Amino acid sequence: MLELISGLQVYISGNALVILDRADHLLQTIYHEEVQLLDSVTIDEDSGKIAACSADLVFIYKPSGQDEGVLKWSLQTSLRIDFTGEAIQTLSWGTSEELLVGSSSLRLFQTEHSDKIIWEKALPSPVQFATFSPDADLIACTARYDRLVKIWRRLSFGSDEVQFDFSYLSHPQLVTGFQWRDTQEKKEEQQHGLFTICADQKVRVWAAMNPHGMQVLQLWAVIDMQDSIQPRYLQPESTTDDRFVFFMPAREFRSTVRHALKGADLGSQPILEHLLDISGQNPEICVVMDGKGHMCAWGLQNLGKREKAATDVFNIALVESFDIFLLQEDIQGQPFARIVNFASEEQASKYCVLVHRLQAGITWLEGGVDEFFDPKPRESRLHPKALWTGHEGSIKKIVRTMGGRAIFSRTNDNEGSIWKQTTRADGQVLAQYSRLDARDHIHRTAVLAGGRFVVNLHHESISLWDTVAQKADRLAFCKYKLDGKPLCLLQLPTPKEMPFKRYLVIITSELKGIVWEITLPSTVSVNGDAAHNTSSLVQYCTFNLGSNESLKYVLPIDPAGSVPTVNGFLDVFAKDVALAYTETGIITTWTARLDIESRSINWLATANVSTGIENPALASGSSIRKIALVNSSRDGLTIWDSRSGQLEYEKQFDRSETISDLDWTSTPDDQSILAIGFPHRVMILAQIRYDYLDKGAAWAPIREIYIRELTPHPIGDSTWLGNGNLVIGAGNQLFMYDKIIGPSDDLVNEYSISVHRHAQLDLFDLTSILNGPLPIYHPQFLSQCILTGKHGLVQRVLLSLQEALKFYSDGEDLDSNLALTSEKFFLTEDEKTSSNQDDYFGNGVGQNEEQPYSLSEGIAESLNGNLTKKSVPYLSSREQIHLADLVECVATAEKHRRSMDDNGLRYLLFFRQHMLRKTQAPKRVDGVSWREFAWAYYSNSQDILVDLVSRHFSNRMLWENAKESGMFMWMTDITTLRAQFEVIARNEYTKTDEKNPVDCSLYYLALKKKNVLVGLWRMATWHREQSGTRRLLAENFTDTRWKTAALKNAYALMGKRRFEYAASFFLLADHLQDAVSVCANQMGDLQLAIAVARVYDGDDSTILTNLLEEHVLPRAATDGNRWMATWAFWMLGRRDMAVRALITPVYRLLDRPQTPTTEARSWLATDPALVVLYKQLRDKSLQTLRGATEITPRAEWEFVIQIARLYDRMGCDLLALDLVRNWEFLKQVPSAQKPVNNIPDPRQLLRRRSSLVVADLPLPVSPMKVKTPGLKQPPPSVFEEPTANSLLDSFGF
């Protein structure tokens, strides 16, 4: 049923009430779960109320929120009506919110304030149609298969007793429909008119020519629809006996003609002049059609006059190409169509026609009034604006083709539809192409050949369907038998040389499966193949993927990115086709290749990712190696990169919202996008650049789609189309959202991600902007350049930026490369020298003699002034602040560049950057990272760094400052370490005005300077613990008695939770292990524990060794902190392990493997700067070279490639190119040159001979001191001064 008033359209779809105000704008959907189907709907033009009914229930809805601009309908009341077994057939609104309900009787309800019956009349036969006249004075009704129309005339208004009398309008055959004349002046009694349509193919016009007579309406005119249309051609395909009619009110016809005349040239459009003459006669228009494109229009003027002239009924036009069934297939046996027409509100010169046919939906057609009635031949007079069609039941699943051009939606009742996206002048629409009704339950579905064919998997059978017709036809059917429950149906890539073949795979819960070969019918020769019209579905082969007791599910990979093709190789570079996950959270992906010769299939596991998520509820993988996993409670989401096994995103949602669906798509350049489906909304996540400096998120929500305002039904499923549009199925409706993102949808500003000057962006374009290469002046790119040692290049970029910003104005374009050539970033120093490229600037910029070659503080101040005043393209405001900080840090580091090595500069620059950001965000509690600790630890400029860090804190460094800088982690000279620790002790003592000795006790006792502490307590006369503490400290703690007393005090302080003071008494008792344990465990300060152990007992302390092995390394393993691990191994003297820890996950290197946490699996655990430190340490000594030999060449290659991918994901493509172009792998020693013990000299592995490799391998000692004849003695473990010949050899002489 379809109903409309001015500006609103309402129709029924299953048990849903759909309300729109335009062809493509949905206002609201109201579902009725208590009924299966709704039968009728009507809307009151005066009050805006909507009434809908099922067999015995009437629902009345009232509007609200119109003044606020949010028009919605809410349930006012529901009426259960018993018509003694007969269903409600019709509804109609009268005056004062009166509602007429028709079935075996007519009942009139007053709904304004209550829902009472004010009139009821039993009928001899159940009514089929019953409607009020526009002024509600009359009611017309007729029964099914009745030739009489009963006219009820109201005799009283406003009284408690409502009365009607009635009369009959007789017809020669049964009445198939009627419609009241739509008049603007409702209270003019003489305006009553009724159009009835009879089975004799005639329209009868009834009018109130004698309102005081016995008959309320009298026959005024008859129009023969069959004779009205006489086609020019008599071919069977162009003729039919079916006739359809609609009526155009005189006021609407007059209005559309008047608006069509505005700005029109009557000389060039004679039809408008003709229509102007007709509209002047104020006629009602009767439009007769045959459904084959023929239309005849009649004018009815002076309707109701007692004396009808022969000219009162006249022909207006007889035209062709008036196709009212556009977008609808011809449905055999269904000649009935409900046609509703109205003047367009968007374009006043247009007229709209809505055509409703069962099984074909509702078509919204529109055309100009001149197009309707122009007798000249036209290709088309009606233009489609919308097709409303769909399912009767709720949508359960949506499946797309590999290319995303078509989708298949199905319901729980095994009803399916093929939809294809088409482009029209007014936008893109989703059109229904075919319907499918399967007898057996549909378990899984695959859509082939752009939606032309569908394969349905049932519990014990599989079927192939052809969807070229409106009703799909089953082509083939096969039964099968497999162990286990079928879990997925997936399509394999098809070889190009086999265009008519398709291969589908069934995989069961026992990891067994069948490959099906499908031969598609075709009438076109492709690639020289013979044309054929037969189709087949045969079993190709079976396979077994092994067994997995904890297997939970297997599902096909979402076809994101380019359509997969067959490359002829079965390797890890092939596209994934299937994904499986277990109850223990292990994800496995597979690729497959058919062996045509042996009629078999080969499988290869391309990834195996241990996520640590127990009993996952949902998973989805994309063909570009991204996997989304939902936890058991469906409120947590993680995203993994299956190539590296790294966690990229983790989000815990509110428990009130459960994740129900995951769908992948990607941009043309393979940037991933994920749609997360909740019951009433969809969140769209896009991958963004990695940010190791700020540890920002790797994924960001860029759009949220809420459907609760449109429908109360939860989302059943969703899928992406190939062009980036998203289709959401909720209830029995499909909602398509285009990929255009406006400012209101853009959520990326929450992440301070720069999208330069965009008001409206394509989803794909926005994602590419968030992932594309960074400009070379971006702070992240410059920071990575600093980490890779390109300090001079960073200064040249900043100087070039300063020159560019001098004359830059907001809104102008700025070269992202600042006129520098790309070669500057990846050419080696030798290549630059040989090609005379000493200047970092391209295009002669550096030829200016006045151009500075270093970033001085003055230039940095000028550049920062420009950054604060001007908006730099491709940078957000936050990124510009970070760039200004970086400029200041580079200028500060430049002052000390000649006195510091590269590692020292790295530490100084990022320490300074951290302190600047801390002033901008005071709530930041994290200190300098372990990466910076490592740079300082491996630096030879530690004395300068200590001085600079101390000066930064105004030489008043407290422990919290030292902890923040990591000073006691990276200082290697134990004497300097203790001297600095004593400085901390003094500052802790003097940090308050009262000078409390308790604050510095731990530090002085760690330094073993008890006497200093005694002197401080002597001066603390104000302290209530002074006397007791002085007496205790005066004792000899080498005596067992006083050691016991110190321990008792320590435990007493532990009970009072004074942990730092307790650690002091443990040191007083010479229990270093207990003191360190308190610092590490109770205080949670691992740095303090390490510092105390180093200061108290030196770096060779067994306590320190135990602390590193039992606390530091396990924490590094669980957190995935490779920087901490390499430092700890180096401190332990295991330099070979320090090198291995930079490449191998730490938890694999320990004797007692640790379970990695989420942080250890995160992408943040693999910092691109690791490769820089690895290269440094690998060539540093014989031990590190020995450690490097324990790393397989493949592992090192994968590590380098992984770092290159990280650079690419960060937007630092030039650095990725520099890495893969200039990386040098260790040489492989030929077997013939290996010594007897199979341990080669590590120096032979270097591609360049170096005399700076420290010989730190221990001398091999044998208990028997047996010498092997013919072998040289091993080299000493001390550094040997190189000879002159070796130096000459190193330089190639």
Side-chain angles (χ1 to χ4, degrees):
M1 284 292 294
L2 173 68
E3 189 73 13
L4 60 88
I5 62 171
S6 178
L8 289 176
Q9 299 83 40
V10 185
Y11 71 89
I12 291 171
S13 177
N15 66 344
L17 198 63
V18 185
I19 309 170
L20 306 96
D21 62 353
R22 295 192 300 274
D24 56 353
H25 188 252
L26 179 67
L27 285 179
Q28 191 177 359
T29 304
I30 304 173
Y31 282 88
H32 303 79
E33 301 297 339
E34 55 269 54
V35 300
Q36 291 186 346
L37 294 173
L38 294 177
D39 297 317
S40 182
V41 64
T42 183
I43 184 167
D44 185 12
E45 188 169 357
D46 293 332
S47 65
K49 287 187 176 181
I50 298 175
C53 70
S54 63
D56 60 349
L57 277 173
V58 177
F59 304 92
I60 301 175
Y61 294 90
K62 61 180 180 180
S64 61
Q66 190 170 8
D67 295 337
E68 294 79 12
V70 186
L71 181 59
K72 296 294 175 185
W73 279 260
S74 58
L75 182 66
Q76 173 185 316
T77 186
S78 59
L79 308 175
R80 185 171 293 278
I81 303 175
D82 184 12
F83 279 115
T84 64
E86 293 292 336
I88 302 173
Q89 296 292 333
T90 183
L91 301 171
S92 180
W93 287 102
T95 59
S96 303
E97 301 181 23
E98 295 175 351
L99 179 65
L100 179 68
V101 182
S103 180
S104 58
S105 65
L106 292 178
R107 296 184 185 180
L108 187 61
F109 290 84
Q110 173 53 252
T111 68
E112 184 175 5
H113 302 295
S114 62
D115 51 5
K116 66 178 181 177
I117 300 176
I118 60 175
W119 178 73
E120 181 178 7
K121 190 69 175 178
L123 300 173
S125 299
V127 71
Q128 178 71 14
F129 307 109
T131 58
F132 270 111
S133 63
D135 60 358
D137 283 351
L138 305 177
I139 298 175
C141 71
T142 185
R144 182 177 296 180
Y145 311 120
D146 198 351
R147 66 181 188 86
L148 298 175
V149 176
K150 186 179 288 187
I151 304 297
W152 300 83
R153 179 171 56 184
R154 190 164 187 168
L155 302 178
S156 61
F157 283 93
S159 62
D160 293 336
E161 185 177 355
V162 178
Q163 296 182 354
F164 286 86
D165 65 1
F166 65 89
S167 60
Y168 290 101
L169 304 181
S170 179
H171 294 73
Q173 295 185 28
L174 61 91
V175 177
T176 59
F178 57 77
Q179 179 179 327
W180 285 103
R181 178 190 181 192
D182 187 6
T183 58
Q184 187 174 11
E185 306 297 336
K186 295 184 177 181
K187 292 303 180 181
E188 293 185 9
E189 193 172 351
Q190 69 273 16
Q191 295 293 326
H192 285 152
L194 182 69
F195 307 105
T196 61
I197 302 99
C198 189
D200 62 358
Q201 300 281 28
K202 291 182 180 178
V203 174
R204 289 169 173 82
V205 184
W206 307 82
M209 294 183 290
N210 183 13
H212 302 290
M214 294 297 296
Q215 288 288 110
V216 180
L217 300 177
Q218 297 83 32
L219 183 64
W220 186 79
V222 178
I223 298 175
D224 192 327
M225 295 190 293
Q226 195 68 38
D227 293 341
S228 296
I229 296 177
Q230 299 294 332
R232 184 180 308 173
Y233 306 103
L234 300 180
Q235 288 85 353
E237 63 271 10
S238 63
T239 60
T240 179
D241 291 335
D242 295 338
R243 293 294 184 266
F244 308 91
V245 64
F246 68 84
F247 304 94
M248 190 180 296
R251 58 185 176 85
E252 289 187 355
F253 176 71
R254 188 171 61 250
S255 175
T256 54
V257 171
R258 185 173 65 251
H259 284 91
L261 290 172
K262 292 182 179 180
D265 183 8
L266 296 182
S268 60
Q269 294 179 285
I271 181 60
L272 289 178
E273 187 174 0
H274 174 59
L275 295 177
L276 178 61
D277 294 338
I278 293 174
S279 65
Q281 303 173 36
N282 200 31
E284 306 287 330
I285 309 298
C286 175
V287 180
V288 181
M289 304 150 292
D290 66 351
K292 296 290 185 178
H294 305 100
M295 184 271 281
C296 179
W298 295 90
L300 309 173
Q301 65 178 356
N302 301 322
L303 183 60
K305 280 193 175 182
R306 293 188 180 184
E307 305 257 343
K308 180 173 80 74
T311 57
D312 286 346
V313 179
F314 57 94
N315 184 268
I316 296 177
L318 179 61
V319 301
E320 296 180 350
S321 303
F322 199 89
D323 189 2
I324 60 168
F325 297 138
L326 206 62
L327 301 183
Q328 295 184 0
E329 292 285 338
D330 187 20
I331 302 175
Q332 299 296 328
Q334 290 193 18
F336 176 78
R338 171 81 189 279
I339 301 176
V340 178
N341 53 286
F342 57 94
S344 172
E345 292 195 350
E346 296 178 0
Q347 292 179 288
S349 63
K350 300 282 187 182
Y351 209 76
C352 301
V353 179
L354 273 61
V355 183
H356 180 203
R357 298 179 79 189
L358 296 178
Q359 305 299 326
I362 301 172
T363 307
W364 182 311
L365 305 171
E366 188 177 85
V369 66
D370 54 335
E371 295 178 293
F372 271 42
F373 304 111
D374 190 357
K376 293 181 181 179
R378 288 176 177 264
E379 291 186 6
S380 177
R381 301 175 187 272
L382 296 173
H383 311 285
K385 289 200 66 176
L387 173 63
W388 301 334
T389 184
H391 299 278
E392 291 186 359
S394 296
I395 295 171
K396 180 181 180 181
K397 186 66 178 175
I398 305 175
V399 183
R400 56 169 272 180
T401 60
M402 278 194 172
R405 297 179 181 177
I407 62 172
F408 177 79
S409 58
R410 61 180 172 89
T411 67
N412 291 321
D413 302 325
N414 304 315
E415 171 203 359
S417 293
I418 283 287
W419 307 82
K420 295 183 181 180
Q421 187 175 9
T422 59
T423 303
R424 297 206 311 254
D426 56 345
Q428 295 176 329
V429 297
L430 202 62
Q432 186 184 46
Y433 273 68
S434 183
R435 299 174 66 92
L436 182 152
D437 291 312
R439 293 190 300 270
D440 300 326
H441 174 71
I442 300 176
H443 193 56
R444 295 288 183 270
T445 300
V447 189
L448 312 177
R452 170 70 189 274
F453 302 96
V454 171
V455 176
N456 286 325
L457 176 66
H458 313 286
H459 287 303
E460 294 182 348
S461 61
I462 187 170
S463 58
L464 172 66
W465 299 75
D466 186 353
T467 61
V468 69
Q470 178 71 18
K471 186 174 182 180
D473 181 33
R474 195 176 76 176
L475 299 179
F477 176 84
C478 286
K479 287 187 173 295
Y480 68 88
K481 189 173 183 180
L482 273 175
D483 294 337
K485 177 184 177 182
L487 295 181
C488 79
L489 177 67
L490 59 92
Q491 182 179 357
L492 296 179
T494 305
K496 291 183 179 179
E497 61 272 13
M498 305 171 67
F500 300 123
K501 299 288 187 181
R502 297 293 187 273
Y503 295 92
L504 298 182
V505 176
I506 302 173
I507 303 178
T508 70
S509 56
E510 300 294 331
L511 288 180
K512 295 180 173 62
I514 299 176
V515 179
W516 297 91
E517 182 182 61
I518 299 173
T519 304
L520 302 179
S522 176
T523 57
V524 181
S525 176
V526 180
N527 298 334
D529 293 345
H532 56 86
N533 293 312
T534 60
S535 60
S536 64
L537 174 65
V538 297
Q539 182 174 315
Y540 186 77
C541 67
T542 60
F543 60 88
N544 188 347
L545 289 174
S547 62
N548 191 336
E549 295 181 358
S550 65
L551 176 69
K552 187 166 185 182
Y553 218 86
V554 181
L555 62 155
I557 293 291
D558 278 359
S562 57
V563 177
T565 57
V566 178
N567 60 6
F569 299 97
L570 185 65
D571 52 32
V572 294
F573 299 104
K575 292 272 188 179
D576 292 338
V577 296
L579 177 147
Y581 59 94
T582 67
E583 294 177 354
T584 57
I586 297 176
I587 301 175
T588 305
T589 58
W590 283 296
T591 186
R593 184 175 67 90
L594 289 172
D595 191 335
I596 304 299
E597 295 181 357
S598 63
R599 291 184 68 85
S600 62
I601 184 171
N602 299 316
W603 292 88
L604 175 66
T606 57
N608 194 276
V609 182
S610 177
T611 64
I613 299 174
E614 297 291 333
N615 198 25
L618 199 62
S620 180
S622 75
S623 55
I624 51 179
R625 309 291 173 87
K626 302 294 180 185
I627 299 172
L629 195 66
V630 178
N631 64 4
S632 58
S633 57
R634 289 181 175 263
D635 59 356
L637 172 73
T638 54
I639 299 177
W640 303 79
D641 186 326
S642 62
R643 281 193 185 95
S644 60
Q646 291 179 339
L647 175 66
E648 291 193 344
Y649 182 78
E650 184 177 19
K651 177 69 174 179
Q652 191 70 29
F653 296 97
D654 192 276
R655 288 187 176 272
S656 61
E657 286 192 310
T658 58
I659 301 173
S660 57
D661 189 30
L662 299 169
D663 292 288
W664 288 100
T665 189
S666 71
T667 64
D669 55 346
D670 285 350
Q671 310 293 348
S672 297
I673 302 171
L674 176 64
I676 310 167
F678 298 91
H680 297 283
R681 69 182 177 107
V682 174
M683 174 185 287
I684 298 178
L685 287 179
Q687 70 174 51
I688 59 176
R689 300 182 190 95
Y690 283 164
D691 183 1
Y692 285 93
L693 302 179
D694 289 332
K695 298 181 181 180
W699 291 75
I702 59 174
R703 188 179 187 183
E704 281 190 302
I705 298 172
Y706 294 89
I707 69 164
R708 190 184 289 274
E709 294 182 355
L710 303 178
T711 173
H713 205 286
I715 296 173
D717 198 12
S718 61
T719 192
W720 291 97
L721 297 176
N723 64 348
N725 291 349
L726 181 65
V727 178
I728 300 174
N732 61 354
Q733 295 173 299
L734 288 174
F735 302 90
M736 185 175 72
Y737 292 86
D738 63 23
K739 58 183 177 180
I740 300 300
I741 296 181
S744 60
D745 296 321
D746 196 351
L747 301 179
V748 296
N749 289 329
E750 297 180 9
Y751 294 83
S752 299
I753 298 170
S754 169
V755 180
H756 183 56
R757 291 179 298 176
H758 82 279
Q760 215 178 41
L761 269 183
D762 186 293
L763 175 67
F764 288 169
D765 294 338
L766 176 59
T767 306
S768 296
I769 289 174
L770 299 178
N771 290 275
L774 293 170
I776 64 172
Y777 51 80
H778 194 282
Q780 172 155 281
F781 183 84
L782 293 175
S783 297
Q784 293 300 322
C785 287
I786 292 169
L787 290 172
T788 56
K790 303 180 185 298
H791 302 283
L793 184 57
V794 169
Q795 294 199 53
R796 293 302 181 184
V797 169
L798 295 178
L799 291 171
S800 184
L801 178 63
Q802 164 64 4
E803 290 297 316
L805 292 182
K806 282 182 180 179
F807 309 102
Y808 173 80
S809 300
D810 287 346
E812 296 180 353
D813 290 331
L814 185 64
D815 182 10
S816 59
N817 286 334
L818 299 176
L820 272 72
T821 59
S822 301
E823 290 81 3
K824 310 297 182 186
F825 294 88
F826 56 79
L827 289 180
T828 63
E829 294 300 326
D830 294 340
E831 290 173 326
K832 292 175 184 176
T833 304
S834 61
S835 59
N836 295 322
Q837 294 188 10
D838 298 329
D839 175 30
Y840 281 103
F841 283 94
N843 303 326
V845 177
Q847 303 299 326
N848 187 355
E849 294 182 357
E850 298 181 358
Q851 179 71 42
Y853 285 91
S854 63
L855 189 72
S856 64
E857 290 185 343
I859 298 176
E861 185 178 353
S862 176
L863 176 55
N864 281 346
N866 287 324
L867 290 175
T868 56
K869 297 175 184 176
K870 300 178 180 181
S871 177
V872 182
Y874 313 113
L875 295 183
S876 67
S877 57
R878 183 171 64 91
E879 289 165 345
Q880 280 196 217
I881 294 173
H882 289 348
L883 179 57
D885 294 344
L886 184 66
V887 170
E888 181 179 342
C889 295
V890 170
T892 302
E894 178 61 20
K895 294 190 301 183
H896 308 281
R897 185 175 183 182
R898 296 184 180 275
S899 57
M900 243 190 282
D901 58 8
D902 285 347
N903 285 342
L905 283 172
R906 290 185 180 103
Y907 174 85
L908 176 62
L909 195 145
F910 286 102
F911 169 76
R912 178 66 178 163
Q913 190 177 62
H914 164 76
M915 299 311 298
L916 285 174
R917 295 189 183 184
K918 184 180 178 182
T919 59
Q920 298 162 5
K923 293 184 179 180
R924 290 184 58 150
V925 296
D926 54 330
V928 178
S929 70
W930 274 92
R931 180 184 64 189
E932 278 60 67
F933 296 174
W935 297 131
Y937 182 70
Y938 295 112
S939 171
N940 295 321
S941 312
Q942 292 183 356
D943 293 339
I944 301 175
L945 292 179
V946 170
D947 180 61
L948 291 174
V949 171
S950 299
R951 281 195 287 170
H952 177 82
F953 295 108
S954 305
N955 292 319
R956 299 285 299 171
M957 185 184 296
L958 303 175
W959 170 250
E960 62 177 350
N961 306 132
K963 179 182 176 181
E964 188 174 17
S965 66
M967 178 180 293
F968 292 94
M969 302 299 101
W970 49 259
M971 291 176 63
T972 56
D973 184 77
I974 197 68
T975 303
T976 308
L977 180 80
R978 287 169 175 155
Q980 195 62 37
F981 204 71
E982 188 170 0
V983 172
I984 299 293
R986 288 196 301 269
N987 293 336
E988 287 288 340
Y989 174 70
T990 59
K991 68 181 180 182
T992 60
D993 294 337
E994 59 186 10
K995 297 181 180 180
N996 192 346
V998 174
D999 295 338
C1000 62
S1001 296
L1002 176 64
Y1003 304 96
Y1004 278 117
L1005 291 175
L1007 290 164
K1008 299 180 180 179
K1009 294 189 176 183
K1010 188 187 72 170
N1011 294 332
V1012 176
L1013 189 61
V1014 170
L1016 297 178
W1017 274 107
R1018 187 182 301 115
M1019 293 183 289
T1021 55
W1022 56 271
H1023 204 290
R1024 62 186 180 89
E1025 299 175 355
Q1026 184 205 24
S1027 58
T1029 305
R1030 281 187 61 191
R1031 286 195 304 270
L1032 181 63
L1033 291 178
E1035 303 298 337
N1036 180 14
F1037 286 91
T1038 58
D1039 189 351
T1040 305
R1041 174 192 171 188
W1042 295 110
K1043 281 186 178 182
T1044 304
L1047 289 175
K1048 287 181 179 180
N1049 280 276
Y1051 289 121
L1053 290 168
M1054 291 276 290
K1056 296 179 181 180
R1057 305 190 64 81
R1058 297 175 64 182
F1059 298 123
E1060 182 178 334
Y1061 204 29
S1064 305
F1065 278 88
F1066 279 125
L1067 291 178
L1068 195 61
D1070 197 26
H1071 279 226
L1072 175 62
Q1073 178 65 58
D1074 293 330
V1076 167
S1077 178
V1078 170
C1079 293
N1081 298 324
Q1082 278 71 28
M1083 295 180 64
D1085 195 338
L1086 188 59
Q1087 284 197 45
L1088 181 60
I1090 295 171
V1092 168
R1094 296 184 70 187
V1095 170
Y1096 190 89
D1097 212 12
D1099 287 347
D1100 297 329
S1101 167
T1102 56
I1103 304 299
L1104 177 62
T1105 300
N1106 181 69
L1107 179 64
L1108 295 175
E1109 291 178 347
E1110 299 297 328
H1111 287 82
V1112 177
L1113 286 176
R1115 179 180 292 187
T1118 55
D1119 295 345
N1121 194 332
R1122 301 185 187 184
W1123 301 99
M1124 180 189 289
T1126 189
W1127 170 85
F1129 279 126
W1130 200 279
M1131 286 287 294
L1132 290 170
R1134 295 296 308 275
R1135 298 184 176 184
D1136 54 339
M1137 297 295 289
V1139 173
R1140 293 177 59 190
L1142 294 171
I1143 290 184
T1144 309
V1146 184
Y1147 62 87
R1148 298 179 185 174
L1149 299 176
L1150 303 185
D1151 296 332
R1152 291 177 294 176
Q1154 302 291 318
T1155 302
T1157 61
T1158 302
E1159 290 78 9
R1161 296 183 173 101
S1162 171
W1163 57 275
L1164 289 167
T1166 307
D1167 192 324
L1170 288 169
V1171 76
V1172 179
L1173 185 59
Y1174 170 73
K1175 190 171 183 179
Q1176 280 187 23
L1177 299 187
R1178 185 189 68 179
D1179 304 344
K1180 195 175 187 68
S1181 72
L1182 295 182
Q1183 268 201 56
T1184 58
L1185 279 172
R1186 178 63 56 80
T1189 61
E1190 298 181 20
I1191 301 170
T1192 63
R1194 180 174 182 82
E1196 184 176 348
W1197 179 84
E1198 290 177 347
F1199 175 68
V1200 172
I1201 294 301
Q1202 183 184 6
I1203 299 300
R1205 287 199 187 103
L1206 294 179
Y1207 276 135
D1208 179 68
R1209 183 68 188 275
M1210 295 170 67
C1212 304
D1213 304 60
L1214 293 173
L1215 298 182
L1217 178 59
D1218 174 45
L1219 176 64
V1220 298
R1221 182 180 184 272
N1222 300 319
W1223 182 260
E1224 291 184 353
F1225 292 91
L1226 294 177
K1227 292 193 302 183
Q1228 298 303 306
V1229 179
S1231 301
Q1233 299 181 15
K1234 288 186 178 180
V1236 177
N1237 58 6
N1238 204 33
I1239 303 177
D1241 183 352
R1243 285 171 292 191
Q1244 297 179 12
L1245 305 177
L1246 295 175
R1247 295 188 178 275
R1248 301 184 184 186
R1249 297 184 60 184
S1250 174
S1251 60
L1252 301 180
V1253 177
V1254 178
D1256 56 354
L1257 286 176
L1259 288 171
V1261 179
S1262 172
M1264 304 296 296
K1265 297 185 179 180
V1266 177
K1267 297 185 178 180
T1268 305
L1271 292 181
K1272 296 181 179 179
Q1273 294 293 326
S1277 59
V1278 297
F1279 178 76
E1280 294 183 349
E1281 183 70 24
T1283 63
N1285 289 333
S1286 67
L1287 288 174
L1288 292 175
D1289 288 343
S1290 298
F1291 287 95
F1293 295 106

